[in-house]
mmCIF file of all heavy atoms in Angstrom:
data_model
loop_
_atom_site.group_PDB
_atom_site.id
_atom_site.type_symbol
_atom_site.label_atom_id
_atom_site.label_comp_id
_atom_site.label_asym_id
_atom_site.label_seq_id
_atom_site.Cartn_x
_atom_site.Cartn_y
_atom_site.Cartn_z
ATOM 1 N N SER A 582 -1.189 7.565 25.925
ATOM 2 C CA SER A 582 -1.519 8.826 26.601
ATOM 3 C C SER A 582 -2.767 9.484 26.017
ATOM 4 O O SER A 582 -3.450 10.248 26.702
ATOM 5 C CB SER A 582 -0.337 9.797 26.515
ATOM 6 O OG SER A 582 -0.018 10.069 25.154
ATOM 7 N N GLY A 583 -3.077 9.196 24.746
ATOM 8 C CA GLY A 583 -4.238 9.824 24.124
ATOM 9 C C GLY A 583 -5.533 9.057 24.291
ATOM 10 O O GLY A 583 -6.590 9.512 23.839
ATOM 11 N N MET A 584 -5.486 7.915 24.963
ATOM 12 C CA MET A 584 -6.682 7.096 25.121
ATOM 13 C C MET A 584 -7.656 7.734 26.107
ATOM 14 O O MET A 584 -7.300 8.031 27.254
ATOM 15 C CB MET A 584 -6.286 5.690 25.579
ATOM 16 C CG MET A 584 -7.456 4.800 25.950
ATOM 17 S SD MET A 584 -8.631 4.617 24.594
ATOM 18 C CE MET A 584 -9.996 3.910 25.486
ATOM 19 N N ASP A 585 -8.892 7.960 25.667
ATOM 20 C CA ASP A 585 -9.948 8.541 26.498
ATOM 21 C C ASP A 585 -11.176 7.636 26.371
ATOM 22 O O ASP A 585 -11.781 7.571 25.299
ATOM 23 C CB ASP A 585 -10.278 9.961 26.021
ATOM 24 C CG ASP A 585 -11.368 10.629 26.853
ATOM 25 O OD1 ASP A 585 -11.998 9.935 27.675
ATOM 26 O OD2 ASP A 585 -11.593 11.832 26.673
ATOM 27 N N PRO A 586 -11.563 6.939 27.432
ATOM 28 C CA PRO A 586 -12.710 6.025 27.328
ATOM 29 C C PRO A 586 -13.979 6.696 26.827
ATOM 30 O O PRO A 586 -14.796 6.067 26.148
ATOM 31 C CB PRO A 586 -12.876 5.520 28.775
ATOM 32 C CG PRO A 586 -11.521 5.656 29.381
ATOM 33 C CD PRO A 586 -10.926 6.893 28.763
ATOM 34 N N GLU A 587 -14.147 7.976 27.145
ATOM 35 C CA GLU A 587 -15.355 8.677 26.701
ATOM 36 C C GLU A 587 -15.410 8.789 25.172
ATOM 37 O O GLU A 587 -16.485 8.839 24.584
ATOM 38 C CB GLU A 587 -15.415 10.063 27.344
ATOM 39 C CG GLU A 587 -15.705 10.047 28.837
ATOM 40 C CD GLU A 587 -17.077 9.480 29.138
ATOM 41 O OE1 GLU A 587 -18.033 9.842 28.423
ATOM 42 O OE2 GLU A 587 -17.195 8.667 30.064
ATOM 43 N N LEU A 588 -14.242 8.866 24.545
ATOM 44 C CA LEU A 588 -14.187 9.024 23.091
ATOM 45 C C LEU A 588 -14.122 7.692 22.353
ATOM 46 O O LEU A 588 -14.659 7.563 21.256
ATOM 47 C CB LEU A 588 -12.964 9.861 22.700
ATOM 48 C CG LEU A 588 -12.969 11.343 23.022
ATOM 49 C CD1 LEU A 588 -11.663 11.976 22.564
ATOM 50 C CD2 LEU A 588 -14.148 12.037 22.358
ATOM 51 N N TYR A 589 -13.462 6.714 22.939
ATOM 52 C CA TYR A 589 -13.087 5.526 22.174
ATOM 53 C C TYR A 589 -13.797 4.241 22.564
ATOM 54 O O TYR A 589 -13.548 3.202 21.982
ATOM 55 C CB TYR A 589 -11.568 5.327 22.269
ATOM 56 C CG TYR A 589 -10.819 6.468 21.639
ATOM 57 C CD1 TYR A 589 -10.095 7.366 22.419
ATOM 58 C CD2 TYR A 589 -10.864 6.679 20.266
ATOM 59 C CE1 TYR A 589 -9.420 8.427 21.839
ATOM 60 C CE2 TYR A 589 -10.198 7.735 19.685
ATOM 61 C CZ TYR A 589 -9.477 8.603 20.468
ATOM 62 O OH TYR A 589 -8.811 9.657 19.890
ATOM 63 N N TYR A 590 -14.678 4.282 23.562
ATOM 64 C CA TYR A 590 -15.475 3.099 23.892
ATOM 65 C C TYR A 590 -16.926 3.338 23.506
ATOM 66 O O TYR A 590 -17.528 4.335 23.920
ATOM 67 C CB TYR A 590 -15.411 2.790 25.389
ATOM 68 C CG TYR A 590 -14.087 2.244 25.872
ATOM 69 C CD1 TYR A 590 -13.762 2.278 27.228
ATOM 70 C CD2 TYR A 590 -13.167 1.688 24.988
ATOM 71 C CE1 TYR A 590 -12.556 1.782 27.692
ATOM 72 C CE2 TYR A 590 -11.948 1.199 25.437
ATOM 73 C CZ TYR A 590 -11.647 1.243 26.789
ATOM 74 O OH TYR A 590 -10.444 0.758 27.234
ATOM 75 N N VAL A 591 -17.471 2.432 22.704
ATOM 76 C CA VAL A 591 -18.891 2.466 22.378
ATOM 77 C C VAL A 591 -19.609 1.626 23.413
ATOM 78 O O VAL A 591 -19.311 0.437 23.576
ATOM 79 C CB VAL A 591 -19.156 1.892 20.967
ATOM 80 C CG1 VAL A 591 -20.648 1.881 20.666
ATOM 81 C CG2 VAL A 591 -18.418 2.713 19.930
ATOM 82 N N LYS A 592 -20.555 2.231 24.108
ATOM 83 C CA LYS A 592 -21.213 1.509 25.200
ATOM 84 C C LYS A 592 -22.257 0.544 24.687
ATOM 85 O O LYS A 592 -22.501 -0.511 25.254
ATOM 86 C CB LYS A 592 -21.838 2.513 26.162
ATOM 87 C CG LYS A 592 -20.806 3.398 26.869
ATOM 88 C CD LYS A 592 -21.485 4.383 27.787
ATOM 89 C CE LYS A 592 -20.448 5.211 28.552
ATOM 90 N NZ LYS A 592 -19.602 6.003 27.638
ATOM 91 N N THR A 593 -22.910 0.872 23.553
ATOM 92 C CA THR A 593 -23.919 -0.011 22.964
ATOM 93 C C THR A 593 -23.755 -0.002 21.470
ATOM 94 O O THR A 593 -23.066 0.845 20.900
ATOM 95 C CB THR A 593 -25.343 0.460 23.313
ATOM 96 O OG1 THR A 593 -25.529 1.801 22.828
ATOM 97 C CG2 THR A 593 -25.592 0.417 24.801
ATOM 98 N N GLY A 594 -24.418 -0.928 20.800
ATOM 99 C CA GLY A 594 -24.402 -0.939 19.338
ATOM 100 C C GLY A 594 -23.224 -1.682 18.783
ATOM 101 O O GLY A 594 -22.422 -2.262 19.487
ATOM 102 N N GLY A 595 -23.092 -1.628 17.472
ATOM 103 C CA GLY A 595 -22.072 -2.393 16.762
ATOM 104 C C GLY A 595 -20.783 -1.632 16.626
ATOM 105 O O GLY A 595 -20.596 -0.550 17.153
ATOM 106 N N ASP A 596 -19.856 -2.236 15.923
ATOM 107 C CA ASP A 596 -18.564 -1.624 15.650
ATOM 108 C C ASP A 596 -18.036 -2.222 14.366
ATOM 109 O O ASP A 596 -18.587 -3.167 13.835
ATOM 110 C CB ASP A 596 -17.582 -1.883 16.791
ATOM 111 C CG ASP A 596 -17.287 -3.364 16.949
ATOM 112 O OD1 ASP A 596 -16.361 -3.825 16.272
ATOM 113 O OD2 ASP A 596 -18.001 -4.050 17.709
ATOM 114 N N ASN A 597 -16.949 -1.635 13.873
ATOM 115 C CA ASN A 597 -16.374 -2.083 12.610
ATOM 116 C C ASN A 597 -15.108 -2.894 12.782
ATOM 117 O O ASN A 597 -14.422 -3.197 11.819
ATOM 118 C CB ASN A 597 -16.075 -0.864 11.726
ATOM 119 C CG ASN A 597 -17.336 -0.114 11.356
ATOM 120 O OD1 ASN A 597 -18.358 -0.729 11.094
ATOM 121 N ND2 ASN A 597 -17.262 1.205 11.348
ATOM 122 N N GLU A 598 -14.770 -3.226 14.023
ATOM 123 C CA GLU A 598 -13.478 -3.846 14.269
ATOM 124 C C GLU A 598 -13.510 -5.360 14.189
ATOM 125 O O GLU A 598 -12.527 -6.008 13.914
ATOM 126 C CB GLU A 598 -12.966 -3.414 15.654
ATOM 127 C CG GLU A 598 -12.616 -1.953 15.720
ATOM 128 C CD GLU A 598 -11.504 -1.573 14.778
ATOM 129 O OE1 GLU A 598 -10.536 -2.331 14.658
ATOM 130 O OE2 GLU A 598 -11.608 -0.533 14.137
ATOM 131 N N GLY A 599 -14.659 -5.953 14.475
ATOM 132 C CA GLY A 599 -14.734 -7.405 14.438
ATOM 133 C C GLY A 599 -14.210 -8.043 15.699
ATOM 134 O O GLY A 599 -13.508 -7.443 16.499
ATOM 135 N N SER A 600 -14.580 -9.288 15.890
ATOM 136 C CA SER A 600 -14.148 -10.032 17.062
ATOM 137 C C SER A 600 -12.672 -10.355 16.979
ATOM 138 O O SER A 600 -12.137 -10.586 15.909
ATOM 139 C CB SER A 600 -14.962 -11.326 17.162
ATOM 140 O OG SER A 600 -14.353 -12.240 18.046
ATOM 141 N N PRO A 601 -11.978 -10.426 18.130
ATOM 142 C CA PRO A 601 -10.568 -10.821 18.107
ATOM 143 C C PRO A 601 -10.383 -12.266 17.669
ATOM 144 O O PRO A 601 -9.268 -12.679 17.385
ATOM 145 C CB PRO A 601 -10.115 -10.623 19.560
ATOM 146 C CG PRO A 601 -11.360 -10.571 20.372
ATOM 147 C CD PRO A 601 -12.417 -10.030 19.478
#
Side-chain angles (χ1 to χ4, degrees):
S582 59
M584 172 57 194
D585 180 350
E587 289 296 317
L588 289 179
Y589 296 110
Y590 288 162
V591 178
K592 295 179 177 62
T593 59
D596 63 88
N597 297 321
E598 292 298 319
S600 164

